[in-house]
Structures are given as C-alpha cells and as structure tokens.
Amino acid sequence: MEIDQWRRDYVLGSLHRSELKPTPAKQFSQWLEEILAAGLDDPTAMSLATVGTSGQPSQRIVQLKGFDESGFVFYTNLHSKKARDMEVNPQVSLLFPWHPLERQVIVYGKVQPVAREDAVTYFQSRPLNSQLAAWASRQSQPVSSREELQKQFDLERSRFAGGEVPLPDFWGGYRVMPHAVEFWQGGAYRLHDRFMYQIDDGGLWTVERLSP
C-alpha cells in the first residue's frame, strides 16, 4: 500500500470573512444545518481530546447533545477515563470531522458539569436499552468478557423491569465552554480557508484568518 501517494483535491467550496456569523455558535449552527441537510452519517459525532495526570493526550468519539452560546454539551459515565482526565485538567478540545463537505470545526475550551436536572431530562429521553447499558457498564474499567457484560446488562434489565430507569449517580453531562473555535474549509492546492474565533477579556468574539 503506497499510502504516501494517496491524495485528493478539495474543491467543494470556500469560506470568506464576509460570510461568517458574529459568534462561533451562530456559525456552527449554520454549518450543522447544512451538514444535516446533506445527510451525512453521524453528523453530531465529535472527537473529544483530554489530557490527564500523565500528560498523555487521549481521544474518543462522543455525541454532541446540545449547543448554544454558552458551549457544547455531551454526556458520559462520570467514572470514565475522560471524566477522570477532565477532573484534573478541564481544558479540552473537540473536533467535528465533516469530511464529505470538506469541513472541520475545532473547539478549544474548558468543561463544566451540566446541572443534574438537565442530565435527568436527557437520560430519560434515551432508549430504554441505552439507559440500561449506562447502568451495566463501568466505563473504562476492565471486564472479563463480552458474556460478563451481557450478564450485567440482563441483571439491570431484570432489576428495573416494569419501572422507570433512574439516572445513575455516576452518569452526567459536561459543557465545553469555548474560548476559541476554528472553522476549516478545504481549498484547492491545499490553500484551505481557516478562520479562528477567539473571545477577548470583555466577552466579545474576534475573528482572524489563519494560513493553511
């Protein structure tokens, strides 16, 4: 496999300063609408990068479950590796890899827990089996086999049979409050369009173009 010879040009679009919305949340909303209209698979999937006590960066795919001017929200097990990393270092980064439209969005920010009532509302909106899986999984901890995981899932299904599945005390959400957001649009000859929003001390967003 001569992977060093694999390449393609980026010719689907461009991004101009005059087209940009005044805040990254508004610009993100516009792009997400276009992504949804294009029918991409997993349009809300994002890579979450964290750094724990060892200094080793770690990434995983999580799902965006809400956003507004205050930040980007996702939910997870509060005992997971990502949660342990964020407890010691709340600085994180998100990446939305919208390759079919030759776009990326990178978010730099700090996490804060979402209100528990918001976590309850979201948890209750999940399919029943997803709720049970949250109880069954001790995320990021060793498990002896797939069979053992299935056994725990079946136990939880029996335990909550016929009743409402409550929010586990070890499960909740985080909001990534951005201080910088980059919008990347692929360009011909690798002359990509990159614009970085950054928030100043007064809470206002500034924008500058970055070289590709």
Side-chain angles (χ1 to χ4, degrees), residues 15 29 39 44 51-52 64 69 77-78 80 117 168 172 177 205 211:
L15 186 61
S29 180
T44 59
V51 179
L64 177 69
E69 294 290 344
N77 185 302
L78 301 179
S80 63
E117 54 266 31
M177 302 176 294
W205 289 100
S211 297

Side-chain angles (χ1 to χ4, degrees), residues 44-52 56-64 74-77 79-86 89 91-97 111 139-140:
T44 59
M46 57 188 185
S47 176
L48 166 67
T50 61
V51 179
Q56 172 64 57
S58 180
Q59 299 181 66
R60 74 288 290 160
I61 301 295
V62 297
Q63 293 287 333
L64 177 69
F74 65 94
Y75 293 87
T76 188
N77 185 302
H79 297 165
S80 63
K81 183 182 186 307
K82 68 178 83 66
R84 296 196 304 271
D85 284 355
M86 292 185 295
N89 183 357
Q91 301 294 333
V92 303
S93 180
L94 303 173
L95 169 66
F96 294 86
V111 294
Q139 194 176 111
S140 303

Side-chain angles (χ1 to χ4, degrees), residues 70-158:
S70 66
F72 300 79
V73 174
F74 65 94
Y75 293 87
T76 188
N77 185 302
L78 301 179
H79 297 165
S80 63
K81 183 182 186 307
K82 68 178 83 66
R84 296 196 304 271
D85 284 355
M86 292 185 295
E87 184 175 355
V88 298
N89 183 357
Q91 301 294 333
V92 303
S93 180
L94 303 173
L95 169 66
F96 294 86
W98 293 329
H99 300 307
L101 292 190
E102 300 174 355
R103 291 177 175 177
Q104 300 179 66
V105 178
I106 307 171
V107 179
Y108 304 91
K110 182 178 182 179
V111 294
Q112 70 172 16
V114 303
R116 186 157 181 84
E117 54 266 31
D118 292 337
V120 169
T121 298
Y122 171 68
F123 187 80
Q124 292 176 343
S125 76
R126 303 180 85 204
L128 174 60
N129 283 341
S130 295
Q131 294 177 0
L132 295 173
W135 276 98
S137 174
R138 297 300 181 258
Q139 194 176 111
S140 303
Q141 299 301 312
V143 62
S144 60
S145 65
R146 176 77 187 189
E147 290 73 22
E148 179 63 27
L149 184 61
Q150 184 65 50
K151 178 182 178 180
Q152 187 61 44
F153 178 84
D154 293 340
L155 287 173
E156 300 296 351
R157 182 164 53 189
S158 297

